[in-house]
């Protein structure tokens, strides 16, 4: 039975050439999947994949269409927070039956959907990963998951403790807002890219303070990559920062999580895998 996957861009645009590469990979290796890129993926207005109203309409259209089994966010960047609150009251019954997949800025919508108990949010590689060197492996991982494989799941998932995964900056921006999901009892995994070490430390200060009051089961640190060079060394690495702030806030630090802005980024279904 063919599964139909809608692809839209709540944040920044994609190219038709890269969409064709992703579609060709799916057609060659995953005969039971049909990918449908919404034309909105290729719209542009400044930084965004079209105006807020256009991005909102495309997401709601994909989510509410009963012909689609899943909604795959094409890429991150920034923009999902500008449409998330307005999207929620527009989501109908069919939206509750879908998987929603992405990471980075797409975590804004994953968090909202998880809070509202709509569908199954999943931290997973996106079509944009095709642009990375060796990125076919990342795209293939999500396509495999959509086709029913569990081989790409983050290896620490135990099926007993609910989990969630976010980009650290994205999670920090959700904390204290109406988009923040209930993560009590969850293992929370975080990753970051292209932030100075001092900024990562600042984000961990904020996020661990919020998560401690939420009563999470523990924190796993994914990869912190592409760190810019500051005018002086910070003095400790990201793991030491995470251990420090977890210790300060009473959160169990559970070690590494196999997620990140890279081709090895693994899949984390929100809740129980």
């Amino acid at each position: 039975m063919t599964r139909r996957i809608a692809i839209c861009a709540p944040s920044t645009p994609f190219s038709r050439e890269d969409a064709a590469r992703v579609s060709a990979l799916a057609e060659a290796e995953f005969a039971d999947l049909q990918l449908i890129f919404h034309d909105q993926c290729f719209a542009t207005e400044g930084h965004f994949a079209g105006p807020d109203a256009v991005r909102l309409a495309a997401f709601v259209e994909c989510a509410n269409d009963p012909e689609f089994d899943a909604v795959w966010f094409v890429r991150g960047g920034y923009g999902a927070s500008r449409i998330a609150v307005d999207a929620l009251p527009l989501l109908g019954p069919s939206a509750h039956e879908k998987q929603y997949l992405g990471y980075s800025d797409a975590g804004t919508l994953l968090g909202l959907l998880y809070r509202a108990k709509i569908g199954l949010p999943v931290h997973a590689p996106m079509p944009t990963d095709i642009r990375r060197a060796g990125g076919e492996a990342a795209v293939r991982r999500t396509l495999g998951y959509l086709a029913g494989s569990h081989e790409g799941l983050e290896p620490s998932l135990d099926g007993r403790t609910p989990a969630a995964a976010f980009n650290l900056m994205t999670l920090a921006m959700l904390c204290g807002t109406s988009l923040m999901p209930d993560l009590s009892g969850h293992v929370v995994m975080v990753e970051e890219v292209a932030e100075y070490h001092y900024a990562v430390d600042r984000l961990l200060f904020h996020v661990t303070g919020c998560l401690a009051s939420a009563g999470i089961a523990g924190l796993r640190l994914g990869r912190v990559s592409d760190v810019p060079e500051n005018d002086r060394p910070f003095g400790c690495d990201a793991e030491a920062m995470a251990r420090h702030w977890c210790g300060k806030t009473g959160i169990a630090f559970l070690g590494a999580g196999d997620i990140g802005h890279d081709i090895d980024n693994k899949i984390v279904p929100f809740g129980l895998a």
Side-chain angles (χ1 to χ4, degrees), residues 19-237:
R21 293 174 62 200
V22 174
S23 293
L25 176 60
E27 290 169 6
E29 300 184 25
F30 299 92
D32 291 337
L33 298 181
Q34 182 183 6
L35 305 187
I36 298 93
F37 282 86
H38 196 292
D39 272 349
Q40 175 269 326
C41 290
F42 316 116
T44 58
E45 181 170 278
H47 170 86
F48 304 105
D52 291 352
V54 170
R55 301 196 320 281
L56 172 64
F59 168 58
V60 171
E61 178 186 340
C62 291
N64 285 342
D65 190 333
E67 296 298 314
F68 292 127
D69 299 288
V71 177
W72 196 9
F73 302 124
V74 78
R75 62 176 301 195
Y78 170 70
S81 60
R82 295 175 63 98
I83 68 171
V85 172
D86 291 336
L88 187 58
L90 304 177
L91 298 178
S94 292
H96 289 253
E97 306 302 320
K98 292 179 172 60
Q99 295 170 315
Y100 297 87
L101 304 99
Y103 72 104
S104 191
D105 191 58
T108 302
L109 288 172
L110 300 182
L112 168 74
L113 293 164
Y114 196 53
R115 176 188 175 105
K117 297 180 172 59
I118 295 175
L120 175 62
V122 182
H123 168 103
M126 297 181 289
T128 190
D129 287 303
I130 201 78
R131 296 173 172 175
R132 302 183 190 275
E136 293 84 356
V139 173
R140 189 178 287 114
R141 189 174 304 119
T142 298
L143 292 172
Y145 178 78
L146 286 166
S149 171
H150 289 174
E151 290 184 6
L153 291 177
E154 203 281 335
S156 71
L157 298 173
D158 60 13
R160 299 184 302 274
T161 307
F166 292 93
N167 169 256
L168 184 57
M169 177 68 80
T170 301
L171 182 56
M173 296 301 100
L174 294 182
C175 287
T177 74
S178 62
L179 306 180
M180 182 68 179
D182 178 7
L183 297 176
S184 58
H186 287 60
V187 171
V188 178
M189 305 183 198
V190 294
E191 54 81 23
E192 191 50 84
V193 64
E195 294 287 350
Y196 288 102
H197 269 147
Y198 69 79
V200 174
D201 193 70
R202 180 190 292 144
L203 289 168
L204 285 166
F205 153 70
H206 177 62
V207 164
T208 55
C210 293
L211 294 180
S213 61
I216 68 168
L219 182 81
R220 287 191 178 276
L221 180 66
R223 288 174 289 282
V224 176
S225 58
D226 298 339
V227 178
E229 184 176 349
N230 197 16
D231 60 354
R232 69 198 72 186
F234 185 71
C236 66
D237 62 15

